[in-house]
Amino acid sequence: MAIDNGRNDGGNGHKGDQAKGSALFEVIQGIDFERRELVGKRQGSGDFDLVKDNGGKDRCYACTLCERTCPVDCIDIGYTASDPMLGSAIAAPEDAAPPVDMKLFDPIIAGIRSGSGLVEALHATQEAYGFLPRPALEGIADQMNLPLSRIYGVASFYGQFRLKPVGKHVIEVCLGTACHVRGAPLVVEAFSQELEIPVGGTTPDGLFTLQTVNCLGACALAPVVRLGTDETVGRLGPNEARRLVRRLRKQEVRA
Amino acid sequence: MSAASSRVGQALQAAVSAGAGTYLADDTKREIRICAGTACHASGRVALRKAIDAALEERGLAGDVAVVETGCHGFCEEGPIVVVRPEGVFYPRLKPVDIPEVIETSVMGDGVVERLLYVDPATGRRVAHEREIPFYALQKRIVLGLNGKIDPYSLDDYLAHGGYSALAKVLSQGDPQNIIAEVENSGLRGRGGAGFPTGKKWRLCRQNLGEKHYVICNADEGDPGAFMDRSVLEGNPHSVIEGMIIAAYAIGGGNGPVEGYIYVRREYPFAVDRVRHALDRARERNLLGKDILGSGFDFDIRVNQGAGAFVCGESTALTASIEGQRGMPRGKHVRTVAHGLWGEPTNINNVETYANVPFIVKSGADVFASTGTATSKGTKIFSLTGKVVNGGLIEVPMGATLREVIFEIGGGMLPGREFKAVQLGGPSGGCLPAALLDEPIDFESLLAAGSMMGSGGMVVVDDSTCMVDFAKFFLKFTAEESCGKCVPCRVGTSRMLEILERISEGRASLQDLDLLESLADDVVEGSLCALGGSAPNPVLSLLRYFRDEIVSHVVEHNCPAKVCRPLIRYGVDAEACTGCAACIAVCPVHAVSGERKAVHSIDEDLCIKCDACRRACRFNAVSVETGVLAPA
Ligand SMILES: Cc1cc2nc3c(=O)[nH]c(=O)nc-3n(C[C@H](O)[C@H](O)[C@H](O)COP(=O)(O)O)c2cc1C
Ligand code: FES
Ligand code: FES
């Protein structure tokens, strides 16, 4: 079966010779990826149906993966910003403490208007609020004219975005290679025990959030821990970690 | 041509003189340089700066002695670093209390404060200058040459050191094809990992026509435990910007509009700030923006920040991320040079690749190519970390051996420890054992040895690192960072990780090793992008060079490095224990007990093997045993 994709694209198409004979080749040869249309298959022959749970609820929660990966761009997920579907994944407005101050949002809108991308807008939002509050995400969705599900899809993909409020002190333990070989796992464990929260958790008093990060760029001082946005501490072993928590706790009591 | 050339020359002259008076490159001037890199910041440069300012003020020297905050000097292990010019006296690990003495002796006088100097661990001698320290003496610094010498916030400083003259040369020649040929002749290969010839990439990108071309700098530096790109951007951001403008001209000059992006990881706030600042300064002096240096060529650069996804270093995921999508790679049957950002032809290079370009243009392809091996030209920056004495950033000629780097520049292993392996290429690379220490560092040799050049992470481990645990670490990383789009990578890495976990818990059989190996091959073969395609490398190198260690885990339940918790047991050496109760105080679960001045004991049922007691003991009385216990 020869592929007639209607043009000779100077070597940018897939390499037919190499893949010939494999099962993969059988599958992909019907698709001209570059023109993103099915060749040799009748268009519109599929019938879409969303699978329901036993209770009759849609199982789809609009992660938008299918929309992103569809080779022929035939799926369009169109949630509106007000749709309650996303449920508990994004912190509801009342979870957010303190209440979301929408004035902080104005510069973000200005940024979007001047052409900053979605990821940049999310960074700006997180910088303003410490996390990504739902009303702000809805605002971004409105501004960029994108479904909220799409914003959620992006926000949940990247490790640095937080959908829930964080504690006053954010402790980020580096788990990069250099820190790992110098004992960072023991440091994480020490923090976790001392604070009595798992990685990613926040203490009930709202004082501490424990997170891990992949390399802070100060590898020669491993193991490295970052406190908040600007304090970085190097050569911090598990015993020092426990002491650090106690020191911070004491400060809080005094304050 | 000559009219254009003199116009550009004059424009550069104007840009240089616009800043004259604010800074003069005067190498005889008395000056204090503090490293303001990320690592030195963490080791206390802010307090140091305050102490210096106060001490100068007190002595009425505030206006006379310049204090310059530079980028990373490379020797981060010894930070915070201060260098007093013009003699270049090098003070490592300074504390604010030492400052008055340093100022009185080295700034107001010509002496050195002997007790604060760097001690060469090999000879025990104190040395006063960077050039005498083996860590620096054996390097060849082309890209890092100005790092630590100039103020990254000062464009004038860069200009005074010959900055942007390569750009002026290129623009006045006005022949983009010629630059591409020059870069091709230099033999420069990408420093981001794969080592693709840079000139060829530019040529391909130029040939592909679109509405626009994009030139992107990949500063995502995903390899955890490496900081080459961070240091270059922090210490000398203009060199990268100049390289990008030259690339943009080579690709877009007379060929349609070009736009630039720098995609930098969010975890590097200093680098982001300095790059943004540098871009603004370059725009002010017409080195960037419309009609650059009067040549008629337009080009501007935007900064985009990553958000903590390793896979976004991959070129197609990177472009998706800039477009505001989830950073998921797509198949490489469509090349980025043809169909990249927003569907337009796109050139992506690494930070270090761009930083090499001004040197090539200025000195010529031949000079660049005179360093290195037959297939790998120039120098390579590595970030040397782990269990070596001198950790930090080093730049060596291609072809240097691993032994030279680790034992001569790196100063060898920490006292009492034995070299076990060196890991190159991060999560995509492999571990090489002692037997391969004499391998030269070049793209081909490292690949043949089962590792890779990678972007420059070099982590040295000693006999206290368990190789199974190390491989587990990398696999856990890639399994977590897998974007999830393709099955071999998403599921394959998790299954491999499970097998490694079984091995480290003493629950594996020898058949598991075969399964691991065949799974590794499948993941390599079947994955969509190079993340999955290289994720099994750490495991494959483990199987190739450290099989004995795995077998000993499986058969004897023995973890020679005493790391895998289910296989170890803590106890107290009755001979050595003095009964000082230090271990009792630190044990988080109260598993250690005993009277003062009597031998302590550890309750195995309570012990969580957190190692706190062993670290607290000053008499080496806490012992760890392995290989004797049956798995739980
Ligand atoms: C999973 C993955 C992560 C990568 N991370 C980086 C990175 O952090 N920095 C980088 O420069 N290149 C990275 N690369 C390589 C890039 O895809 C690309 O080859 C490189 O930026 C090209 O630049 P060069 O030709 O100058 O090396 C990565 C590749 C993969 C597959
Ligand atoms: S590995 Fe922890 S700072 Fe780089
Ligand atoms: S950060 Fe100061 S030497 Fe690297």
Side-chain angles (χ1 to χ4, degrees), chain A residues 6-198:
Chain A
R7 67 191 241 220
N8 183 352
D9 56 11
N12 286 327
H14 51 254
K15 296 194 190 92
D17 294 346
Q18 280 180 11
K20 204 168 270 175
S22 73
L24 186 62
F25 178 69
E26 295 288 314
V27 177
I28 62 174
Q29 70 169 349
I31 304 171
D32 175 351
F33 286 97
E34 248 183 293
R35 282 198 297 157
R36 298 197 148 204
E37 59 188 36
L38 284 175
V39 180
K41 283 224 168 156
R42 203 154 49 81
Q43 287 177 7
S45 55
D47 197 4
F48 284 92
D49 205 2
L50 287 181
V51 178
K52 304 245 196 282
D53 271 342
N54 288 342
K57 251 175 68 187
D58 274 333
R59 276 172 67 178
C60 167
Y61 64 101
C63 70
T64 71
L65 267 178
C66 55
E67 188 188 22
R68 271 279 287 141
T69 47
C70 175
V72 292
D73 270 346
C74 72
I75 302 175
D76 182 24
I77 298 181
Y79 274 118
T80 50
S82 57
D83 200 293
M85 190 62 195
L86 293 173
S88 60
I90 305 180
E94 56 272 20
D95 282 4
V100 177
D101 174 5
M102 290 310 276
K103 245 188 265 138
L104 294 177
F105 196 60
D106 294 342
I108 298 164
I109 295 183
I112 295 172
R113 294 223 172 105
S114 76
S116 78
L118 175 54
V119 176
E120 289 294 299
L122 292 175
H123 275 311
T125 310
Q126 182 152 307
E127 211 150 87
Y129 298 106
F131 73 110
L132 301 176
R134 182 173 174 130
L137 295 187
E138 290 168 353
I140 294 176
D142 275 350
Q143 270 306 316
M144 300 189 104
N145 213 0
L146 291 170
L148 180 60
S149 54
R150 169 72 187 284
I151 313 277
Y152 172 65
V154 172
S156 60
F157 180 83
Y158 295 95
Q160 291 225 319
F161 292 130
R162 300 184 282 247
L163 294 164
K164 295 265 156 79
V166 284
K168 183 171 168 197
H169 300 279
V170 179
I171 299 176
E172 284 176 293
V173 186
C174 175
L175 276 186
T177 319
C179 291
H180 176 88
V181 303
R182 288 207 200 165
L186 296 174
V187 178
V188 181
E189 196 180 84
F191 273 119
S192 177
Q193 281 168 0
E194 196 66 34
L195 295 167
E196 297 178 7
I197 47 172

Side-chain angles (χ1 to χ4, degrees), chain B residues 424-468:
Chain B
L424 293 115
S428 318
C431 284
L432 301 180
L436 294 177
L437 273 177
D438 291 310
E439 278 301 297
I441 296 173
D442 69 20
F443 288 100
E444 278 70 25
S445 314
L446 291 178
L447 210 55
S451 185
M452 66 187 258
M453 179 80 84
S455 57
M458 193 186 271
V459 184
V460 180
V461 298
D462 61 22
D463 49 355
S464 69
T465 297
C466 168
M467 298 311 285
V468 175

Side-chain angles (χ1 to χ4, degrees), chain B residues 142-454:
Chain B
I142 292 178
V143 175
L144 293 177
L146 289 180
N147 250 47
K149 290 218 173 72
I150 61 172
D151 175 357
Y153 282 109
S154 163
L155 171 58
D156 295 314
D157 214 350
Y158 184 63
L159 287 169
H161 286 88
Y164 288 104
S165 60
L167 174 66
K169 182 171 166 188
V170 161
L171 291 178
S172 47
Q173 279 171 354
D175 183 0
Q177 297 286 359
N178 187 31
I179 313 164
I180 296 183
E182 187 82 3
V183 173
E184 269 180 337
N185 291 339
S186 74
L188 176 65
R189 295 172 65 174
R191 302 298 197 235
F196 192 85
T198 305
K200 188 170 163 202
K201 196 187 269 184
W202 293 8
R203 185 179 297 287
L204 288 171
C205 187
R206 187 179 169 89
Q207 280 163 1
N208 282 294
L209 298 183
E211 261 171 42
K212 220 182 227 178
H213 284 74
Y214 287 99
V215 168
I216 300 179
C217 173
N218 186 347
D220 196 41
E221 192 141 70
D223 177 358
F227 52 99
M228 300 73 53
D229 299 348
R230 176 218 108 197
S231 295
V232 173
L233 287 176
E234 271 178 14
N236 194 356
H238 284 289
S239 65
V240 181
I241 295 171
E242 186 178 3
M244 282 183 75
I245 307 173
I246 293 171
Y249 187 65
I251 289 164
N255 194 28
V258 219
E259 256 178 51
Y261 280 93
I262 297 182
Y263 187 90
V264 52
R265 62 199 297 250
R266 175 85 174 171
E267 289 87 338
Y268 292 169
F270 291 162
V272 175
D273 188 49
R274 285 171 203 180
V275 167
R276 287 220 166 109
H277 189 272
L279 290 172
D280 287 343
R281 294 296 84 74
R283 265 182 223 119
E284 280 167 18
R285 300 275 177 86
N286 189 221
L287 294 159
L288 200 62
K290 293 246 171 279
D291 190 16
I292 294 175
L293 293 177
S295 66
F297 176 64
D298 303 339
F299 177 63
D300 210 336
I301 301 176
R302 291 185 81 118
V303 177
N304 245 263
Q305 295 182 69
F310 172 61
V311 72
C312 285
E314 201 275 345
S315 44
T316 58
L318 189 150
T319 51
S321 176
I322 295 181
E323 290 170 7
Q325 319 259 18
R326 293 161 74 98
M328 290 174 150
R330 57 167 167 71
K332 275 291 180 72
H333 49 272
V334 185
R335 305 264 296 273
T336 309
V337 284
H339 189 94
L341 185 60
W342 312 111
E344 301 294 343
T346 301
N347 177 70
I348 302 183
N349 281 128
N350 171 258
V351 171
E352 195 186 331
T353 315
Y354 285 122
N356 269 297
V357 170
F359 177 81
I360 293 173
V361 171
K362 256 187 284 187
S363 318
D366 300 340
V367 175
F368 181 83
S370 65
T371 309
T373 66
T375 55
S376 310
K377 302 294 185 195
T379 58
K380 177 77 193 93
I381 307 181
F382 287 97
S383 82
L384 184 62
T385 56
K387 305 287 186 62
V388 280
V389 173
N390 300 328
L393 205 68
I394 56 164
E395 183 173 348
V396 288
M398 295 273 191
T401 65
L402 289 167
R403 187 183 300 281
E404 281 164 3
V405 170
I406 298 167
F407 286 88
E408 290 174 26
I409 299 177
M413 309 307 292
L414 295 173
R417 287 289 171 193
E418 204 178 302
F419 174 88
K420 187 166 187 178
V422 53
Q423 211 279 349
L424 293 115
S428 318
C431 284
L432 301 180
L436 294 177
L437 273 177
D438 291 310
E439 278 301 297
I441 296 173
D442 69 20
F443 288 100
E444 278 70 25
S445 314
L446 291 178
L447 210 55
S451 185
M452 66 187 258
M453 179 80 84

